[in-house]
Amino acid sequence: MKKRNLLVALAMAVVMLFTGCGSSVTPDNFVGKWTGTLDFTEHFESLMVAQNDKLKDYANFENLTFTIVFEFTEDTVSLSLDESSAQQFITNAEAGIVSMIDAMAKDEAAAIDVTVEDIFAGMNTTRDAYVQSVMSAMQFDVMISELAKALELSGNYYIDEEVLVVTYADDTYEKMKYNFGKETLTITISDGTNEFPILCEKTK
């Protein structure tokens, strides 16, 4: 029977404890500016379909993303929405809605053997006027403005195991999951029902 060397085992344990195989996370890991992408495509489609189940065969949006900026110091963090990404979101969303309207009108026209123009004429409008009315009803500018305000946040933070806890000046707080990759940081925000991972890279 081989004798166990407790001193060697203890030394190895101490080395593993302090190296942590790279798993030890401190505020130093966060410090800096991180820019991440929030992909809202799937959630946006689900919201559209929730309004009208008939849309499930037509809602096919692409690249509905926002760029979120996190800036960490050793004990504070600020969040902001990149405005250019918000404008691109509107452009992509509008393109998806136009595509959806055209596809629905085409299928409806084929089903009753009339032209697409006849479909819109039956609603006392034209295709362009109908598209414009839908865009006005969507109020994308208002939505983006409210989102930008909601994301314009700053507060103190601390690390609680695998959760980033941010406390704000109005005595509210938010818990966000985080995970470090080799050169990335994923921060997951939640609306209470859905989780939205934001894959971030450090800004040089």
Side-chain angles (χ1 to χ4, degrees), residues 12 34 46 60 68 70 85 104 108 113 128 139 141 148 152 192 194:
M12 290 179 64
W34 297 81
S46 68
N60 185 24
I68 312 296
F70 296 86
S85 73
M104 292 177 69
E108 188 172 344
D113 196 24
D128 290 346
Q139 295 187 309
D141 288 339
E152 198 69 34
N194 305 285

Side-chain angles (χ1 to χ4, degrees), residues 54-92:
K54 292 180 180 179
L55 298 179
K56 65 182 178 182
D57 294 328
Y58 298 97
N60 185 24
F61 294 84
E62 295 181 351
N63 301 320
L64 299 186
T65 61
F66 295 109
T67 299
I68 312 296
V69 180
F70 296 86
E71 292 193 58
F72 289 91
T73 68
E74 290 186 354
D75 55 7
T76 66
V77 59
S78 63
L79 291 74
S80 60
L81 173 66
D82 178 77
E83 291 185 11
S84 63
S85 73
Q87 291 304 314
Q88 187 62 52
F89 175 95
I90 294 176
T91 298
N92 294 346

